[in-house]
Short mmCIF file of all heavy atoms in Angstrom, two decimals:
data_model
loop_
_atom_site.label_atom_id
_atom_site.label_comp_id
_atom_site.label_asym_id
_atom_site.label_seq_id
_atom_site.Cartn_x
_atom_site.Cartn_y
_atom_site.Cartn_z
N GLU U 1 122.30 122.29 41.68
CA GLU U 1 123.08 121.07 41.82
C GLU U 1 123.03 120.52 43.27
O GLU U 1 123.13 119.31 43.47
CB GLU U 1 124.57 121.37 41.47
CG GLU U 1 125.47 120.16 41.38
CD GLU U 1 126.02 119.70 42.78
OE1 GLU U 1 126.11 120.53 43.70
OE2 GLU U 1 126.38 118.49 42.88
N ILE U 2 122.84 121.37 44.23
CA ILE U 2 122.74 120.97 45.66
C ILE U 2 121.61 119.88 45.78
O ILE U 2 121.80 118.88 46.42
CB ILE U 2 122.42 122.14 46.56
CG1 ILE U 2 123.62 123.09 46.56
CG2 ILE U 2 122.09 121.64 47.99
CD1 ILE U 2 123.33 124.43 47.27
N PHE U 3 120.47 120.12 45.20
CA PHE U 3 119.34 119.25 45.32
C PHE U 3 119.56 117.93 44.57
O PHE U 3 119.11 116.84 45.01
CB PHE U 3 118.08 119.95 44.85
CG PHE U 3 117.81 121.20 45.60
CD1 PHE U 3 118.07 122.44 45.03
CD2 PHE U 3 117.27 121.21 46.87
CE1 PHE U 3 117.88 123.63 45.73
CE2 PHE U 3 117.05 122.31 47.55
CZ PHE U 3 117.38 123.54 46.99
N GLU U 4 120.24 118.02 43.43
CA GLU U 4 120.54 116.82 42.65
C GLU U 4 121.61 115.99 43.43
O GLU U 4 121.51 114.71 43.44
CB GLU U 4 121.07 117.17 41.28
CG GLU U 4 120.04 117.81 40.37
CD GLU U 4 118.74 116.96 40.27
OE1 GLU U 4 118.85 115.75 40.18
OE2 GLU U 4 117.62 117.53 40.35
N ARG U 5 122.56 116.64 44.07
CA ARG U 5 123.53 115.83 44.81
C ARG U 5 122.86 115.24 46.05
O ARG U 5 123.12 114.06 46.44
CB ARG U 5 124.69 116.76 45.27
CG ARG U 5 125.82 115.98 45.92
CD ARG U 5 127.05 116.84 46.10
NE ARG U 5 127.61 117.31 44.83
CZ ARG U 5 128.92 117.49 44.61
NH1 ARG U 5 129.82 117.24 45.50
NH2 ARG U 5 129.29 117.98 43.42
N ARG U 6 121.91 115.95 46.63
CA ARG U 6 121.14 115.40 47.75
C ARG U 6 120.41 114.15 47.29
O ARG U 6 120.38 113.13 48.01
CB ARG U 6 120.15 116.49 48.24
CG ARG U 6 119.21 116.00 49.30
CD ARG U 6 117.93 115.52 48.77
NE ARG U 6 117.01 114.93 49.77
CZ ARG U 6 116.06 114.08 49.55
NH1 ARG U 6 115.80 113.71 48.29
NH2 ARG U 6 115.30 113.65 50.47
N ASN U 7 119.79 114.22 46.11
CA ASN U 7 119.09 113.05 45.61
C ASN U 7 119.97 111.85 45.37
O ASN U 7 119.61 110.68 45.59
CB ASN U 7 118.37 113.42 44.27
CG ASN U 7 117.20 114.42 44.47
OD1 ASN U 7 116.73 114.50 45.61
ND2 ASN U 7 116.80 115.12 43.47
N GLN U 8 121.18 112.14 44.90
CA GLN U 8 122.14 111.01 44.63
C GLN U 8 122.50 110.35 46.01
O GLN U 8 122.64 109.13 46.06
CB GLN U 8 123.41 111.53 44.01
CG GLN U 8 123.23 112.02 42.56
CD GLN U 8 122.54 111.01 41.69
OE1 GLN U 8 121.40 111.19 41.28
NE2 GLN U 8 123.21 109.94 41.43
N TYR U 9 122.68 111.10 47.10
CA TYR U 9 122.99 110.53 48.35
C TYR U 9 121.72 109.85 48.98
O TYR U 9 121.87 108.83 49.70
CB TYR U 9 123.54 111.55 49.31
CG TYR U 9 125.01 111.64 49.23
CD1 TYR U 9 125.65 112.55 48.41
CD2 TYR U 9 125.86 110.80 49.98
CE1 TYR U 9 127.07 112.60 48.28
CE2 TYR U 9 127.22 110.80 49.88
CZ TYR U 9 127.79 111.73 49.04
OH TYR U 9 129.20 111.75 48.96
N ALA U 10 120.57 110.35 48.63
CA ALA U 10 119.32 109.72 49.20
C ALA U 10 118.97 108.44 48.53
O ALA U 10 118.41 107.56 49.11
CB ALA U 10 118.19 110.73 49.11
N HIS U 11 119.28 108.36 47.20
CA HIS U 11 118.76 107.25 46.38
C HIS U 11 119.90 106.36 45.76
O HIS U 11 119.63 105.29 45.30
CB HIS U 11 117.88 107.75 45.30
CG HIS U 11 116.75 108.60 45.78
ND1 HIS U 11 115.75 108.14 46.62
CD2 HIS U 11 116.44 109.94 45.58
CE1 HIS U 11 114.92 109.09 46.95
NE2 HIS U 11 115.32 110.19 46.24
N ALA U 12 121.13 106.91 45.75
CA ALA U 12 122.21 106.13 45.07
C ALA U 12 123.48 106.12 45.88
O ALA U 12 124.61 105.86 45.31
CB ALA U 12 122.47 106.73 43.67
N ASN U 13 123.38 106.39 47.15
CA ASN U 13 124.54 106.36 48.10
C ASN U 13 125.67 107.31 47.61
O ASN U 13 126.85 107.04 47.83
CB ASN U 13 125.13 104.94 48.21
CG ASN U 13 126.04 104.80 49.40
OD1 ASN U 13 125.84 105.43 50.36
ND2 ASN U 13 127.02 103.86 49.26
N GLY U 14 125.29 108.40 46.94
CA GLY U 14 126.27 109.39 46.51
C GLY U 14 127.04 109.06 45.29
O GLY U 14 128.01 109.69 44.96
N VAL U 15 126.60 108.01 44.58
CA VAL U 15 127.27 107.60 43.39
C VAL U 15 126.65 108.33 42.13
O VAL U 15 125.45 108.46 42.02
CB VAL U 15 127.15 106.05 43.18
CG1 VAL U 15 127.79 105.63 41.84
CG2 VAL U 15 127.86 105.32 44.31
N VAL U 16 127.52 108.77 41.25
CA VAL U 16 127.08 109.52 40.09
C VAL U 16 126.32 108.59 39.14
O VAL U 16 126.74 107.44 38.84
CB VAL U 16 128.30 110.09 39.30
CG1 VAL U 16 127.82 110.72 37.96
CG2 VAL U 16 128.99 111.13 40.16
N THR U 17 125.14 109.01 38.66
CA THR U 17 124.36 108.22 37.69
C THR U 17 124.20 109.01 36.44
O THR U 17 124.48 110.25 36.37
CB THR U 17 122.94 107.96 38.32
OG1 THR U 17 122.28 109.22 38.54
CG2 THR U 17 123.06 107.20 39.61
N ARG U 18 123.71 108.36 35.39
CA ARG U 18 123.48 109.04 34.15
C ARG U 18 122.47 110.18 34.25
O ARG U 18 122.67 111.24 33.70
CB ARG U 18 122.97 108.02 33.09
CG ARG U 18 122.78 108.62 31.69
CD ARG U 18 122.27 107.54 30.72
NE ARG U 18 123.16 106.50 30.61
CZ ARG U 18 124.26 106.46 29.84
NH1 ARG U 18 124.57 107.52 29.10
NH2 ARG U 18 125.04 105.40 29.81
N SER U 19 121.47 109.93 35.06
CA SER U 19 120.39 110.99 35.24
C SER U 19 120.98 112.19 35.91
O SER U 19 120.67 113.35 35.45
CB SER U 19 119.30 110.42 36.16
OG SER U 19 118.36 111.40 36.44
N TYR U 20 121.88 112.05 36.89
CA TYR U 20 122.51 113.16 37.55
C TYR U 20 123.30 114.01 36.51
O TYR U 20 123.17 115.22 36.44
CB TYR U 20 123.44 112.69 38.63
CG TYR U 20 124.32 113.71 39.30
CD1 TYR U 20 123.80 114.56 40.25
CD2 TYR U 20 125.64 113.80 38.94
CE1 TYR U 20 124.63 115.47 40.87
CE2 TYR U 20 126.47 114.75 39.53
CZ TYR U 20 125.93 115.58 40.52
OH TYR U 20 126.77 116.51 41.09
N LEU U 21 124.12 113.34 35.69
CA LEU U 21 124.95 114.08 34.70
C LEU U 21 124.04 114.77 33.66
O LEU U 21 124.37 115.90 33.30
CB LEU U 21 125.91 113.07 34.01
CG LEU U 21 126.97 112.43 34.91
CD1 LEU U 21 127.77 111.45 34.10
CD2 LEU U 21 127.83 113.49 35.53
N GLU U 22 123.00 114.11 33.19
CA GLU U 22 122.17 114.68 32.17
C GLU U 22 121.47 115.95 32.69
O GLU U 22 121.32 116.96 32.01
CB GLU U 22 121.13 113.63 31.67
CG GLU U 22 121.72 112.54 30.87
CD GLU U 22 120.73 111.44 30.52
OE1 GLU U 22 119.59 111.49 31.09
OE2 GLU U 22 121.03 110.61 29.63
N LYS U 23 120.96 115.88 33.97
CA LYS U 23 120.29 117.06 34.56
C LYS U 23 121.28 118.21 34.68
O LYS U 23 120.90 119.38 34.40
CB LYS U 23 119.67 116.66 35.87
CG LYS U 23 118.49 115.79 35.81
CD LYS U 23 117.95 115.42 37.18
CE LYS U 23 116.75 114.51 37.08
NZ LYS U 23 116.21 114.10 38.40
N LEU U 24 122.48 117.98 35.13
CA LEU U 24 123.44 119.06 35.28
C LEU U 24 123.89 119.65 33.97
O LEU U 24 124.09 120.88 33.86
CB LEU U 24 124.65 118.54 36.07
CG LEU U 24 124.43 118.12 37.51
CD1 LEU U 24 125.79 117.90 38.18
CD2 LEU U 24 123.58 119.13 38.28
N GLU U 25 123.99 118.77 32.93
CA GLU U 25 124.36 119.30 31.61
C GLU U 25 123.26 120.22 31.07
O GLU U 25 123.56 121.23 30.44
CB GLU U 25 124.56 118.11 30.70
CG GLU U 25 125.89 117.39 30.95
CD GLU U 25 126.08 116.16 30.06
OE1 GLU U 25 125.07 115.74 29.38
OE2 GLU U 25 127.14 115.60 30.07
N ARG U 26 122.03 119.88 31.35
CA ARG U 26 120.89 120.73 30.87
C ARG U 26 120.99 122.13 31.58
O ARG U 26 120.57 123.15 30.97
CB ARG U 26 119.57 120.11 31.20
CG ARG U 26 119.21 118.98 30.22
CD ARG U 26 117.73 118.65 30.28
NE ARG U 26 117.30 118.14 31.58
CZ ARG U 26 117.23 116.88 31.88
NH1 ARG U 26 117.62 115.96 31.01
NH2 ARG U 26 116.81 116.50 33.07
N GLU U 27 121.47 122.16 32.76
CA GLU U 27 121.58 123.44 33.52
C GLU U 27 122.91 124.09 33.34
O GLU U 27 123.24 125.08 33.93
CB GLU U 27 121.29 123.19 34.99
CG GLU U 27 119.95 122.63 35.34
CD GLU U 27 118.82 123.57 34.87
OE1 GLU U 27 118.96 124.75 34.87
OE2 GLU U 27 117.77 122.99 34.49
#
């Protein structure tokens, strides 16, 4: 999750996206 949260801040200003939720649900 650390790397996915990093990606959200790098590419979406820290806002939750569908991709973020789907990846975490898979894990």
Side-chain angles (χ1 to χ4, degrees):
E1 191 276 338
I2 295 170
F3 303 101
E4 293 306 318
R5 187 168 300 211
R6 176 267 175 201
N7 291 340
Q8 293 307 113
Y9 269 93
H11 307 298
N13 197 30
V15 175
V16 174
T17 61
R18 183 181 302 277
S19 174
Y20 172 79
L21 294 178
E22 290 176 347
K23 289 179 180 178
L24 295 192
E25 286 175 351
R26 285 198 295 269
E27 300 300 327

